[in-house]
Amino acid sequence: MSHGPLPDRDDQMNSAARTGLAAALDRGLAILNRVIVVFASLALVAACAILSYSVLSRALFKAANYWQDEAAVFLLVGATFMTAAYVQQNRGHIGIEAFVGLLSPLANRIRLWCVDVVTFLFCAFFTWKSWTLAHEAYVDGQVSNSMWSPPLAIPYSLMALGMSLLCVQILVQLALPFAGARRP
């Protein structure tokens, strides 16, 4: 099983592959992903603070909390979807690797490529539906059913943007072996 990012990911690309378009996109995505992770971390801390404030204000002061839950959910949705490309870039997802020891290195590369293609197809469909949902929410002016009524285009757009970044990340990972890089 793979339980975390590979520490030697950057060492696995050879010098010829570091100069191509796919490698340049990979480096650009790596920088963007690191920036997004910082903001997502801040969003998680903010969600924790908001929910803690909600519990304390309700328990101590009997104050209404009509906005706190939704604000925390919006922050969590943004942090989750926007960091998906970072997780994919570092191969930090949990993968069942029962067949790795049984297959030859070539068969494992083919297996990984096939998994990435299927993953990309699923994520591309999810991205398309997310952008459709975000567009409909924006055009129709959809808001949540709470008293606060924030626009639903906000979390839907974060979901769509995060899935778009994930699709670009998967495409870059599919292209890197053709540019001469070894797969992480």
Side-chain angles (χ1 to χ4, degrees):
M1 276 196 215
S2 174
H3 289 287
L6 299 172
D8 59 344
R9 178 185 171 277
D10 293 328
D11 296 337
Q12 293 183 355
M13 288 181 18
N14 59 29
S15 60
R18 293 181 191 267
T19 59
L21 177 62
L25 280 172
D26 190 44
R27 287 190 302 271
L29 280 171
I31 292 167
L32 179 62
N33 286 336
R34 280 189 227 117
V35 170
I36 289 171
V37 164
V38 169
F39 284 107
S41 300
L42 293 173
L44 290 176
V45 170
C48 290
I50 288 170
L51 289 174
S52 297
Y53 167 77
S54 172
V55 169
L56 287 175
S57 67
R58 193 173 5 163
L60 297 177
F61 307 113
K62 308 290 188 239
N65 60 353
Y66 57 89
W67 64 272
Q68 289 94 338
D69 290 341
E70 280 183 314
V73 168
F74 282 23
L75 290 168
L76 292 172
V77 166
T80 300
F81 281 96
M82 293 300 292
T83 57
Y86 174 81
V87 173
Q88 177 65 29
Q89 181 179 38
N90 291 296
R91 298 284 183 178
H93 57 281
I94 295 176
I96 299 171
E97 298 182 4
F99 297 109
V100 172
L102 301 174
L103 299 174
S104 69
L106 175 63
N108 271 322
R109 284 195 300 272
I110 293 170
R111 178 188 61 84
L112 284 173
W113 191 82
C114 290
V115 167
D116 282 348
V117 168
V118 171
T119 302
F120 172 75
L121 292 173
F122 171 79
C123 289
F125 176 76
F126 195 106
T127 301
W128 170 63
K129 293 306 281 180
S130 297
W131 280 114
T132 303
L133 192 63
H135 180 263
E136 287 175 6
Y138 179 76
V139 169
D140 295 343
Q142 295 175 7
V143 296
S144 71
N145 291 331
S146 72
M147 197 165 122
W148 183 36
S149 300
L152 290 176
I154 295 170
Y156 295 160
S157 296
L158 290 170
M159 185 171 63
L161 186 59
M163 290 304 294
S164 297
L165 286 171
L166 179 58
C167 284
V168 171
Q169 183 64 54
I170 294 169
L171 279 176
V172 167
Q173 286 178 330
L174 284 169
L176 280 174
F178 295 109
R182 283 181 246 124
R183 288 189 68 94

